């Protein structure tokens, strides 16, 4: 299959392209689309055969459910059987935007989408092209991130091309994604709303809106074999470049000294804060900054692109820096980086 890459310049300028993407989706095909978080690989959420194509193209485990994307609030009733008060509050505040709610599904959503679960993940993206594509398709779109399973999520159309070229018919290029990592996932089906994946909407914002919000401990911990998890995505190694990643905690100079000692007998690369880059001037290994330590949104925006460029470097090991965990965007950064590192962490 050849993959067509279409650069989107505007809703009017590319109206034919939106129509073609919509027709492909109506006809049971998959299309990669931009969203404000990361690129998604979309298919008609009501069409089981179309949804199966997503799993094949991504090499995604069958038991990992997909998020269903809608283009207006009223579509929520098309896919869920119950809309709790908490969902109305969150929708009012954060939709359209980078928030996914887990709700009870209805019968129209096939089991292939939810991997057999009785709940469904729903998101109403704010990206205007994403919404235009959902509207052109005329149906809600099931879409996971448009990477090959295990790789960092794509934040540009070129990342998608790299992973899925030859495997899907079309990629719509809407430029770089704003947020840079995936949506926040919150489960609203239990007694207490529970954060399952930190993302673009922060824990602080969720608590301001709802009061009590629990945090699933597996956000920052490794899941052991055969352990039951609230969200299947927690089980899988994610976002990993080909070389092993080790997170190094400690002062900047101690970090620099540790890395330089190890560089004597290993080929290394460094993923650091922007303000630490100069510490490595004059050394001949690759140093990739991903944002300012004090600016979690910037770190979130830069992380996946940085992990992908590290993937292109042949290093034996990657030493990485992480921000301190709080209730803002840094929680999402540490969650993704921990997974990329397989939870390997040292203090210096
Ligand atoms: O920002 C995003 O959310 C992007 C864009 C494309 O919208 N999508 C995305 O999808 O990140 P994906 O498939 O890479 O991640 C979906 C996560 C997985 O960890 C999955 O296990 C979880 O959501 N999930 C989906 N349905 C669920 C459900 N019913 N219960 C619990 N977790 C669920
Ligand atoms: Mg993903």
């Amino acid at each position: 299959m050849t993959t067509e890459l279409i650069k989107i310049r505007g809703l009017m300028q590319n109206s034919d392209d939106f129509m073609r993407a919509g027709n492909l989706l109506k006809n049971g095909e998959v299309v990669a689309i931009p969203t404000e978080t990361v690129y998604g690989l979309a298919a008609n959420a009501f069409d089981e055969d179309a949804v199966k194509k997503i799993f094949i193209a991504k090499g995604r485990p069958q038991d990992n459910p997909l998020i269903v994307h809608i283009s207006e609030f009223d579509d929520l009733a098309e896919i869920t059987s119950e809309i709790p008060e908490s969902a109305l509050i969150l929708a009012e505040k954060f939709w359209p935007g980078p928030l996914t709610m887990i709700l009870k599904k209805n019968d129209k959503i096939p089991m292939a989408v939810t991997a057999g679960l009785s709940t469904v993940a729903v998101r109403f993206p704010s990206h205007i092209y994403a919404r235009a594509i959902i509207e052109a398709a005329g149906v809600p779109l099931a879409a996971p991130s448009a990477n090959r399973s295990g790789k960092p999520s794509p934040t540009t159309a070129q990342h998608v091309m790299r992973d899925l070229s030859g495997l899907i018919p079309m990629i719509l290029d809407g430029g770089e994604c704003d947020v840079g990592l995936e949506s926040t996932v919150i489960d609203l089906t239990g007694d207490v709303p529970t954060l399952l994946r930190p993302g673009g909407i922060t824990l602080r914002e969720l608590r301001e809106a709802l009061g009590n919000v629990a945090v699933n401990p597996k956000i920052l911990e490794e899941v052991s074999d055969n352990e039951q998890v609230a969200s299947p995505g927690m089980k899988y190694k994610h976002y990993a470049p080909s070389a092993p990643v080790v997170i190094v905690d400690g002062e900047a100079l101690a970090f620099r000294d540790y890395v330089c000692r190890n560089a004597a007998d290993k080929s290394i690369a460094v993923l650091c804060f922007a303000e630490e880059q100069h510490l490595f001037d004059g050394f001949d290994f690759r140093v990739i900054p991903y944002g300012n330590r004090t600016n979690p949104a910037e770190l979130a925006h830069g992380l996946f692109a940085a992990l992908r460029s590290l993937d292109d470097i042949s290093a034996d090991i990657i030493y990485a820096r992480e921000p301190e965990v709080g209730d803002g965007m840094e929680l999402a950064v540490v969650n993704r980086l921990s997974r990329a590192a397989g939870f390997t962490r040292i203090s210096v």
Side-chain angles (χ1 to χ4, degrees), residues 108-157:
K108 281 172 76 181
I109 293 292
M111 285 297 185
V113 171
T114 64
L117 297 174
S118 59
T119 55
V120 62
V122 194
R123 181 157 108 75
F124 178 1
S126 60
H127 199 288
I128 53 164
Y129 299 157
R131 274 150 57 185
I133 298 158
I134 302 168
E135 268 157 33
V139 284
L141 298 179
S145 48
N147 50 290
R148 285 284 293 172
S149 220
K151 288 289 166 197
S153 295
T155 56
T156 66

Side-chain angles (χ1 to χ4, degrees), residues 196-276:
L196 299 182
R197 182 175 74 181
I201 301 297
T202 64
L203 179 59
R204 191 183 315 137
E205 290 173 297
L206 293 170
R207 286 187 167 147
E208 275 163 16
L210 293 181
N212 192 14
V213 175
V215 178
N216 188 294
K218 294 300 162 191
I219 281 177
L220 296 177
E221 286 169 18
E222 193 165 12
V223 173
S224 48
D225 290 348
N226 301 322
E227 188 176 346
Q228 281 283 336
V229 286
S231 186
M234 290 169 171
K235 282 188 302 195
Y236 296 104
K237 193 174 160 71
H238 263 110
Y239 319 119
S242 26
V245 178
V246 174
I247 297 170
V248 184
D249 289 330
E251 293 303 318
L253 288 175
F255 169 60
R256 196 264 313 269
D257 293 346
Y258 177 83
V259 166
C260 292
R261 274 201 306 281
N262 278 277
D265 59 354
K266 277 198 244 0
S267 157
I268 63 152
V270 170
L271 174 69
C272 67
F273 300 124
E275 59 270 47
E276 293 176 344

Side-chain angles (χ1 to χ4, degrees), residues 3-20:
T3 302
E4 194 182 352
L5 178 64
I6 298 171
K7 176 82 195 155
I8 304 294
R9 292 189 169 78
L11 287 178
M12 298 307 283
Q13 290 92 319
N14 294 86
S15 59
D16 286 354
D17 296 319
F18 286 105
M19 214 164 71
R20 283 173 53 225

Side-chain angles (χ1 to χ4, degrees), residues 6 30 37 70 129 147 162 179 190 197 211 233 284 298 300 313 325:
I6 298 171
V30 296
T37 55
I70 56 177
Y129 299 157
N147 50 290
R162 188 126 187 206
V179 180
R197 182 175 74 181
D284 66 354
E298 188 179 277
I313 299 167
V325 173

Side-chain angles (χ1 to χ4, degrees), residues 42-332:
N44 177 354
F46 295 138
D47 180 344
E48 180 138 39
D49 291 333
V51 167
K52 284 184 181 154
K53 291 183 185 170
I54 294 178
F55 285 86
I56 293 167
K58 279 188 59 111
R60 184 178 177 100
Q62 299 275 342
D63 68 346
N64 198 2
L66 309 179
I67 296 174
V68 178
H69 297 69
I70 56 177
S71 60
E72 52 186 301
F73 177 78
D74 289 348
D75 294 344
L76 188 56
E78 294 289 306
I79 51 190
T80 56
S81 60
E82 206 179 299
I83 303 176
E85 178 68 20
S86 52
L88 298 177
I89 295 171
L90 293 182
E92 174 73 28
K93 277 200 116 99
F94 304 118
W95 273 4
L99 178 70
T100 296
M101 303 191 214
I102 308 290
L103 298 165
K104 294 204 171 109
K105 83 187 261 307
N106 71 12
D107 291 342
K108 281 172 76 181
I109 293 292
M111 285 297 185
V113 171
T114 64
L117 297 174
S118 59
T119 55
V120 62
V122 194
R123 181 157 108 75
F124 178 1
S126 60
H127 199 288
I128 53 164
Y129 299 157
R131 274 150 57 185
I133 298 158
I134 302 168
E135 268 157 33
V139 284
L141 298 179
S145 48
N147 50 290
R148 285 284 293 172
S149 220
K151 288 289 166 197
S153 295
T155 56
T156 66
Q158 287 65 42
H159 295 159
V160 182
M161 197 65 184
R162 188 126 187 206
D163 277 18
L164 299 179
S165 174
L167 298 171
I168 60 174
M170 186 185 278
I171 301 171
L172 295 178
D173 180 355
E176 209 180 305
C177 301
D178 276 352
V179 180
L181 45 74
E182 307 89 340
S183 61
T184 302
V185 178
I186 188 164
D187 184 354
L188 301 176
T189 62
D191 293 337
V192 179
T194 304
L195 180 67
L196 299 182
R197 182 175 74 181
I201 301 297
T202 64
L203 179 59
R204 191 183 315 137
E205 290 173 297
L206 293 170
R207 286 187 167 147
E208 275 163 16
L210 293 181
N212 192 14
V213 175
V215 178
N216 188 294
K218 294 300 162 191
I219 281 177
L220 296 177
E221 286 169 18
E222 193 165 12
V223 173
S224 48
D225 290 348
N226 301 322
E227 188 176 346
Q228 281 283 336
V229 286
S231 186
M234 290 169 171
K235 282 188 302 195
Y236 296 104
K237 193 174 160 71
H238 263 110
Y239 319 119
S242 26
V245 178
V246 174
I247 297 170
V248 184
D249 289 330
E251 293 303 318
L253 288 175
F255 169 60
R256 196 264 313 269
D257 293 346
Y258 177 83
V259 166
C260 292
R261 274 201 306 281
N262 278 277
D265 59 354
K266 277 198 244 0
S267 157
I268 63 152
V270 170
L271 174 69
C272 67
F273 300 124
E275 59 270 47
E276 293 176 344
Q277 189 178 14
H278 74 276
L279 297 175
F280 298 97
D281 283 352
F283 291 95
D284 66 354
F285 43 82
R286 279 297 294 275
V287 177
I288 298 190
Y290 72 113
N292 215 283
R293 180 178 209 145
T294 55
N295 187 342
E298 188 179 277
L299 294 170
H301 181 81
L303 179 64
F304 286 158
L307 286 172
R308 279 189 178 255
S309 25
L310 285 163
D311 208 18
D312 299 337
I313 299 167
S314 60
D316 298 328
I317 191 157
I318 297 163
Y319 292 113
R321 298 289 272 165
E322 65 178 355
E324 276 101 69
V325 173
D327 58 5
M329 276 289 269
E330 68 288 343
L331 187 60

